[in-house]
Short mmCIF file of all heavy atoms in Angstrom, two decimals:
data_model
loop_
_atom_site.label_atom_id
_atom_site.label_comp_id
_atom_site.label_asym_id
_atom_site.label_seq_id
_atom_site.Cartn_x
_atom_site.Cartn_y
_atom_site.Cartn_z
N SER A 24 1.69 0.72 -5.29
CA SER A 24 2.98 0.39 -5.93
C SER A 24 4.03 1.43 -5.56
O SER A 24 3.68 2.56 -5.17
CB SER A 24 2.79 0.34 -7.45
OG SER A 24 2.47 1.62 -7.94
N PRO A 25 5.32 1.05 -5.65
CA PRO A 25 6.40 2.01 -5.32
C PRO A 25 6.31 3.28 -6.15
O PRO A 25 6.54 4.39 -5.63
CB PRO A 25 7.66 1.22 -5.64
CG PRO A 25 7.27 -0.20 -5.45
CD PRO A 25 5.87 -0.28 -5.93
N SER A 26 5.97 3.17 -7.43
CA SER A 26 5.88 4.37 -8.27
C SER A 26 4.74 5.26 -7.81
O SER A 26 4.85 6.49 -7.79
CB SER A 26 5.69 3.96 -9.73
OG SER A 26 4.49 3.18 -9.88
N GLN A 27 3.58 4.65 -7.44
CA GLN A 27 2.44 5.43 -6.95
C GLN A 27 2.82 6.13 -5.63
O GLN A 27 2.41 7.26 -5.39
CB GLN A 27 1.21 4.52 -6.76
CG GLN A 27 0.63 3.99 -8.06
CD GLN A 27 -0.45 2.96 -7.81
OE1 GLN A 27 -0.47 2.31 -6.75
NE2 GLN A 27 -1.34 2.81 -8.80
N TRP A 28 3.57 5.40 -4.81
CA TRP A 28 4.01 5.98 -3.51
C TRP A 28 4.93 7.16 -3.73
O TRP A 28 4.79 8.19 -3.07
CB TRP A 28 4.68 4.88 -2.70
CG TRP A 28 5.28 5.34 -1.39
CD1 TRP A 28 6.58 5.68 -1.16
CD2 TRP A 28 4.60 5.57 -0.18
NE1 TRP A 28 6.78 6.09 0.13
CE2 TRP A 28 5.52 6.03 0.78
CE3 TRP A 28 3.26 5.42 0.22
CZ2 TRP A 28 5.19 6.35 2.09
CZ3 TRP A 28 2.95 5.72 1.54
CH2 TRP A 28 3.88 6.19 2.46
N GLN A 29 5.81 7.04 -4.68
CA GLN A 29 6.74 8.13 -4.96
C GLN A 29 6.03 9.35 -5.53
O GLN A 29 6.32 10.49 -5.19
CB GLN A 29 7.82 7.64 -5.92
CG GLN A 29 8.78 6.61 -5.32
CD GLN A 29 9.76 6.08 -6.32
OE1 GLN A 29 9.75 6.46 -7.49
NE2 GLN A 29 10.66 5.19 -5.84
N ARG A 30 5.05 9.10 -6.46
CA ARG A 30 4.33 10.23 -7.08
C ARG A 30 3.50 10.97 -6.03
O ARG A 30 3.23 12.16 -6.17
CB ARG A 30 3.42 9.73 -8.22
CG ARG A 30 4.22 9.43 -9.50
CD ARG A 30 3.28 9.32 -10.69
NE ARG A 30 2.38 8.18 -10.60
CZ ARG A 30 2.68 6.98 -11.07
NH1 ARG A 30 3.86 6.78 -11.65
NH2 ARG A 30 1.82 5.99 -10.94
N LEU A 31 3.11 10.26 -4.98
CA LEU A 31 2.34 10.91 -3.92
C LEU A 31 3.13 12.05 -3.30
O LEU A 31 2.60 13.13 -3.04
CB LEU A 31 1.95 9.88 -2.86
CG LEU A 31 1.34 10.43 -1.55
CD1 LEU A 31 0.01 11.13 -1.83
CD2 LEU A 31 1.15 9.30 -0.54
N TRP A 32 4.41 11.84 -3.09
CA TRP A 32 5.20 12.82 -2.38
C TRP A 32 5.65 13.98 -3.26
O TRP A 32 6.03 15.03 -2.77
CB TRP A 32 6.43 12.14 -1.74
CG TRP A 32 6.01 11.08 -0.76
CD1 TRP A 32 6.03 9.75 -0.92
CD2 TRP A 32 5.48 11.33 0.52
NE1 TRP A 32 5.55 9.09 0.19
CE2 TRP A 32 5.18 10.08 1.12
CE3 TRP A 32 5.20 12.50 1.28
CZ2 TRP A 32 4.63 9.94 2.40
CZ3 TRP A 32 4.67 12.32 2.56
CH2 TRP A 32 4.37 11.07 3.09
N VAL A 33 5.54 13.78 -4.56
CA VAL A 33 5.93 14.87 -5.45
C VAL A 33 4.72 15.55 -6.10
O VAL A 33 4.86 16.48 -6.89
CB VAL A 33 6.89 14.37 -6.55
CG1 VAL A 33 8.20 13.86 -5.93
CG2 VAL A 33 6.26 13.29 -7.40
N ALA A 34 3.52 15.05 -5.77
CA ALA A 34 2.30 15.61 -6.39
C ALA A 34 2.07 17.01 -5.87
O ALA A 34 2.24 17.28 -4.68
CB ALA A 34 1.10 14.72 -6.06
N PRO A 35 1.71 17.98 -6.76
CA PRO A 35 1.42 19.35 -6.34
C PRO A 35 0.27 19.40 -5.34
O PRO A 35 0.28 20.17 -4.40
CB PRO A 35 1.04 20.06 -7.65
CG PRO A 35 1.63 19.21 -8.73
CD PRO A 35 1.58 17.80 -8.22
N ASP A 36 -0.79 18.58 -5.59
CA ASP A 36 -1.95 18.55 -4.69
C ASP A 36 -2.05 17.13 -4.14
O ASP A 36 -2.60 16.24 -4.78
CB ASP A 36 -3.24 18.93 -5.43
CG ASP A 36 -4.43 19.10 -4.49
OD1 ASP A 36 -4.32 18.68 -3.32
OD2 ASP A 36 -5.49 19.62 -4.93
N ARG A 37 -1.50 16.96 -2.96
CA ARG A 37 -1.40 15.62 -2.41
C ARG A 37 -2.79 15.01 -2.11
O ARG A 37 -3.02 13.83 -2.35
CB ARG A 37 -0.53 15.66 -1.15
CG ARG A 37 -0.10 14.29 -0.64
CD ARG A 37 0.89 14.43 0.50
NE ARG A 37 2.11 15.08 0.01
CZ ARG A 37 3.15 15.39 0.80
NH1 ARG A 37 3.06 15.15 2.11
NH2 ARG A 37 4.23 15.95 0.30
N ASP A 38 -3.71 15.79 -1.59
CA ASP A 38 -5.05 15.29 -1.25
C ASP A 38 -5.81 14.82 -2.50
O ASP A 38 -6.48 13.78 -2.51
CB ASP A 38 -5.86 16.36 -0.53
CG ASP A 38 -5.31 16.65 0.86
OD1 ASP A 38 -4.67 15.72 1.42
OD2 ASP A 38 -5.55 17.75 1.38
N SER A 39 -5.69 15.63 -3.58
CA SER A 39 -6.36 15.27 -4.82
C SER A 39 -5.78 13.97 -5.38
O SER A 39 -6.51 13.11 -5.89
CB SER A 39 -6.21 16.40 -5.84
OG SER A 39 -6.79 16.05 -7.07
N TYR A 40 -4.44 13.84 -5.25
CA TYR A 40 -3.79 12.62 -5.75
C TYR A 40 -4.26 11.41 -4.95
O TYR A 40 -4.50 10.33 -5.51
CB TYR A 40 -2.28 12.77 -5.66
CG TYR A 40 -1.54 11.55 -6.17
CD1 TYR A 40 -1.35 11.37 -7.55
CD2 TYR A 40 -1.06 10.58 -5.28
CE1 TYR A 40 -0.69 10.23 -8.01
CE2 TYR A 40 -0.42 9.45 -5.75
CZ TYR A 40 -0.23 9.29 -7.12
OH TYR A 40 0.39 8.14 -7.59
N LYS A 41 -4.41 11.58 -3.62
CA LYS A 41 -4.88 10.47 -2.79
C LYS A 41 -6.29 10.01 -3.22
O LYS A 41 -6.57 8.82 -3.28
CB LYS A 41 -4.90 10.89 -1.32
CG LYS A 41 -3.52 10.99 -0.67
CD LYS A 41 -3.68 11.39 0.79
CE LYS A 41 -2.31 11.50 1.47
NZ LYS A 41 -2.45 11.88 2.89
N GLN A 42 -7.15 10.98 -3.52
CA GLN A 42 -8.51 10.64 -3.94
C GLN A 42 -8.51 9.87 -5.26
O GLN A 42 -9.21 8.86 -5.41
CB GLN A 42 -9.36 11.91 -4.08
CG GLN A 42 -9.66 12.59 -2.74
CD GLN A 42 -10.46 13.87 -2.91
OE1 GLN A 42 -10.73 14.29 -4.04
NE2 GLN A 42 -10.82 14.48 -1.80
N ASN A 43 -7.71 10.34 -6.21
CA ASN A 43 -7.63 9.66 -7.50
C ASN A 43 -7.03 8.26 -7.33
O ASN A 43 -7.46 7.31 -7.99
CB ASN A 43 -6.78 10.46 -8.47
CG ASN A 43 -7.46 11.77 -8.88
OD1 ASN A 43 -8.68 11.85 -8.89
ND2 ASN A 43 -6.66 12.79 -9.21
N LEU A 44 -6.02 8.15 -6.44
CA LEU A 44 -5.39 6.86 -6.20
C LEU A 44 -6.38 5.88 -5.59
O LEU A 44 -6.48 4.72 -6.01
CB LEU A 44 -4.18 7.04 -5.27
CG LEU A 44 -3.41 5.78 -4.90
CD1 LEU A 44 -2.86 5.10 -6.16
CD2 LEU A 44 -2.29 6.11 -3.92
N ALA A 45 -7.14 6.36 -4.60
CA ALA A 45 -8.13 5.51 -3.95
C ALA A 45 -9.20 5.09 -4.95
O ALA A 45 -9.66 3.93 -4.97
CB ALA A 45 -8.76 6.23 -2.77
N ALA A 46 -9.64 6.02 -5.81
CA ALA A 46 -10.66 5.70 -6.83
C ALA A 46 -10.16 4.64 -7.79
O ALA A 46 -10.92 3.77 -8.23
CB ALA A 46 -11.05 6.98 -7.58
N SER A 47 -8.88 4.71 -8.10
CA SER A 47 -8.29 3.72 -9.01
C SER A 47 -8.18 2.36 -8.35
O SER A 47 -8.50 1.33 -8.95
CB SER A 47 -6.91 4.20 -9.47
OG SER A 47 -6.28 3.22 -10.26
N LEU A 48 -7.72 2.35 -7.07
CA LEU A 48 -7.53 1.09 -6.37
C LEU A 48 -8.86 0.40 -6.02
O LEU A 48 -8.95 -0.83 -6.01
CB LEU A 48 -6.70 1.32 -5.11
CG LEU A 48 -5.24 1.78 -5.33
CD1 LEU A 48 -4.58 2.11 -3.99
CD2 LEU A 48 -4.45 0.70 -6.06
N PHE A 49 -9.87 1.18 -5.71
CA PHE A 49 -11.17 0.62 -5.31
C PHE A 49 -12.24 0.81 -6.40
O PHE A 49 -13.44 0.96 -6.12
CB PHE A 49 -11.63 1.27 -4.00
CG PHE A 49 -10.75 0.96 -2.83
CD1 PHE A 49 -9.73 1.83 -2.45
CD2 PHE A 49 -10.92 -0.23 -2.10
CE1 PHE A 49 -8.90 1.53 -1.37
CE2 PHE A 49 -10.08 -0.50 -1.02
CZ PHE A 49 -9.08 0.36 -0.66
N ALA A 50 -11.79 0.82 -7.64
CA ALA A 50 -12.71 1.06 -8.76
C ALA A 50 -13.83 0.02 -8.82
O ALA A 50 -14.99 0.33 -9.11
CB ALA A 50 -11.94 1.09 -10.07
N ASP A 51 -13.49 -1.26 -8.54
CA ASP A 51 -14.50 -2.31 -8.62
C ASP A 51 -15.60 -2.13 -7.58
O ASP A 51 -16.79 -2.36 -7.84
CB ASP A 51 -13.86 -3.68 -8.46
CG ASP A 51 -13.09 -3.79 -7.14
OD1 ASP A 51 -12.60 -2.74 -6.66
OD2 ASP A 51 -13.00 -4.91 -6.62
N VAL A 52 -15.21 -1.68 -6.39
CA VAL A 52 -16.20 -1.45 -5.33
C VAL A 52 -17.11 -0.29 -5.69
O VAL A 52 -18.34 -0.33 -5.51
CB VAL A 52 -15.49 -1.20 -3.98
CG1 VAL A 52 -16.53 -0.91 -2.88
CG2 VAL A 52 -14.62 -2.38 -3.61
N LEU A 53 -16.46 0.79 -6.18
CA LEU A 53 -17.25 1.96 -6.57
C LEU A 53 -18.22 1.62 -7.71
O LEU A 53 -19.37 2.07 -7.73
CB LEU A 53 -16.32 3.10 -6.99
CG LEU A 53 -15.44 3.69 -5.87
CD1 LEU A 53 -14.43 4.70 -6.45
CD2 LEU A 53 -16.31 4.36 -4.81
N GLN A 54 -17.74 0.78 -8.67
CA GLN A 54 -18.58 0.40 -9.81
C GLN A 54 -19.78 -0.43 -9.35
O GLN A 54 -20.89 -0.26 -9.81
CB GLN A 54 -17.75 -0.41 -10.83
CG GLN A 54 -18.54 -0.82 -12.08
CD GLN A 54 -18.97 0.39 -12.90
OE1 GLN A 54 -18.24 1.39 -12.95
NE2 GLN A 54 -20.14 0.30 -13.52
#
């Protein structure tokens, strides 16, 4: 989403944010 994209660029730890974002988006697969 646009808001998730924007928070990516302002996140203090960009890599950690990417991991959390991916976990959220692919939660069903991980489950």
Side-chain angles (χ1 to χ4, degrees):
S24 66
S26 59
Q27 292 172 336
W28 176 263
Q29 291 176 0
R30 282 196 294 271
L31 170 64
W32 300 104
V33 296
D36 188 346
R37 192 173 297 177
D38 291 335
S39 177
Y40 181 80
K41 286 181 180 180
Q42 291 178 356
N43 292 332
L44 179 60
S47 175
L48 295 174
F49 295 95
D51 57 331
V52 178
L53 294 173
Q54 182 65 34

